[in-house]
């Protein structure tokens, strides 16, 4: 990018390829560049906000206003951003904001409460910027409520499986072991890390490569499968499953 002076207005030249692949120089005025930046801010689905050193909101794009359940910018501009943060996370937010305004990049996940009472889990990535001689926080915030709920459900399911008295073993089509629960480790006499380095035939000798391929193909066709076999513990003893 090169800067030019055209009739007293500073402009920026950007290389552009036309349909024939030829490069041309497109000249954008400062005003056009600002309009372009504003269009990006208005259309992005993530919250973009500027917070001054004291914690007051200076600017927020429409996506952010919607996230905070705000009808008009006047409802929040100049207000303390911390007031939108759930009480349990306010202390962490204040510490995070102070670090950013001290010149450090940062990210944080916390809960916010909209003006209509809705709760959301959000993830913010922030950087310090200088505005009018003052270092403020520029942050991009996304709603991760669904992601956090999904992860929480997965943790709950995993905890339930680990506490189960039955053995669970997840095996890939190539016969390598993806995961096991605690009961499987206890029954076989291996640690989880040791089992994940093994293959099916190391634990179930009957499942040689050809039989395993046939089982996988049958499972793909039917969607479920029940079978009996024998497993070998770490000490070499065999038991039926």
């Amino acid at each position: 990018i090169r800067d030019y002076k055209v009739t007293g207005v500073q402009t920026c030249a950007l290389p552009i390829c036309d349909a024939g692949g030829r490069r041309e120089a497109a000249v954008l005025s400062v005003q056009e560049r600002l309009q372009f930046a504003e269009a990006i801010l208005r259309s992005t689905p993530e919250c973009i906000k500027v917070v001054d050193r004291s914690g007051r909101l200076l600017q927020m794009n429409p996506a952010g206003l919607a996230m905070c359940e705000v009808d008009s910018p006047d409802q929040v501009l100049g207000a303390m951003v911390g007031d939108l943060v759930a009480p349990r996370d306010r202390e962490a937010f204040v510490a995070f904001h102070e670090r950013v305004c001290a010149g450090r990049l940062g990210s944080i996940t916390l809960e916010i409460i909209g003006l209509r009472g809705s709760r959301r889990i959000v993830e913010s990535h922030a950087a310090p910027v200088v505005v009018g001689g003052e270092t403020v926080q520029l942050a991009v915030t996304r709603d991760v409520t669904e992601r956090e709920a999904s992860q929480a459900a997965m943790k709950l399911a995993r905890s339930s499986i680990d506490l189960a008295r039955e053995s669970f073993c997840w095996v890939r089509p190539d016969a390598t072991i993806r995961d096991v629960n605690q009961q499987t480790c206890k029954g076989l006499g291996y640690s989880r890390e040791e089992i994940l380095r093994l293959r099916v035939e190391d634990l179930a000798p009957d499942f040689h490569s050809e039989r395993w391929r046939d089982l996988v193909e049958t499972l793909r066709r039917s969607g479920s499968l029940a079978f009996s076999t024998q497993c070998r513990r770490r000490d070499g003893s065999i038991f039926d499953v």
Side-chain angles (χ1 to χ4, degrees):
I1 300 174
R2 290 187 57 193
D3 289 329
Y4 292 85
K5 292 282 187 177
V6 180
T7 62
V9 178
Q10 188 172 354
T11 60
C12 176
L14 301 175
I16 295 180
C17 290
D18 61 11
R22 295 187 300 274
R23 297 169 69 97
E24 300 178 349
V27 180
L28 301 178
S29 70
V30 173
Q31 183 179 2
E32 289 171 329
R33 288 158 57 191
L34 291 174
Q35 290 174 344
F36 182 66
E38 184 177 356
I40 293 175
L41 291 175
R42 287 186 171 278
S43 61
T44 183
E46 297 175 337
C47 167
I48 299 178
K49 64 181 181 293
V50 179
V51 185
D52 72 11
R53 183 177 289 272
S54 69
R56 297 187 181 279
L57 182 66
L58 298 180
Q59 190 172 2
M60 180 178 281
N61 69 338
L65 297 175
M67 188 180 296
C68 297
E69 301 179 321
V70 174
D71 296 321
S72 168
D74 294 336
Q75 291 178 274
V76 289
L77 292 181
M80 299 297 294
V81 174
D83 291 343
L84 293 169
V85 178
R88 67 178 187 182
D89 292 328
R90 283 177 187 169
E91 184 176 347
F93 171 75
V94 170
F96 165 74
H97 179 62
E98 289 176 351
R99 288 195 301 272
V100 173
C101 289
R104 296 169 59 185
L105 299 174
S107 62
I108 189 172
T109 300
L110 44 77
E111 183 181 36
I112 64 170
I113 304 174
L115 296 190
R116 299 192 190 101
S118 298
R119 291 176 176 265
R120 290 180 172 85
I121 305 297
V122 299
E123 181 181 80
S124 287
H125 296 264
V129 295
V130 178
V131 176
E134 178 187 11
T135 301
V136 300
Q137 177 195 148
L138 172 64
V140 177
T141 302
R142 61 178 58 93
D143 187 342
V144 296
T145 305
E146 292 186 4
R147 186 193 74 184
E148 293 295 311
S150 176
Q151 291 178 350
M154 290 177 63
K155 289 180 181 178
L156 178 61
R158 179 61 199 232
S159 296
S160 300
I161 290 173
D162 271 337
L163 294 174
R165 299 179 64 181
E166 295 80 12
S167 296
F168 287 82
C169 184
W170 291 264
V171 184
R172 300 182 181 92
D174 65 358
T176 58
I177 299 173
R178 179 176 182 177
D179 205 355
V180 293
N181 71 337
Q182 294 177 9
Q183 184 61 32
T184 300
C185 299
K186 181 179 179 180
L188 294 173
Y190 290 95
S191 69
R192 179 175 176 274
E193 290 71 23
E194 289 173 327
I195 293 180
L196 298 186
R197 291 195 291 267
L198 302 177
R199 297 175 59 84
V200 169
E201 59 263 33
D202 297 320
L203 301 175
D206 289 345
F207 277 107
H208 50 78
S209 59
E210 184 176 349
R211 186 184 177 192
W212 178 253
R213 285 195 297 269
D214 290 343
L215 183 146
V216 171
E217 185 58 33
T218 301
L219 183 59
R220 283 173 173 166
R221 291 197 305 267
S222 63
S224 64
L225 184 65
F227 58 90
S228 298
T229 187
Q230 291 184 320
C231 285
R232 180 168 54 205
R233 298 184 180 93
R234 183 171 187 165
D235 63 9
S237 59
I238 301 295
F239 63 100
D240 296 327
V241 294

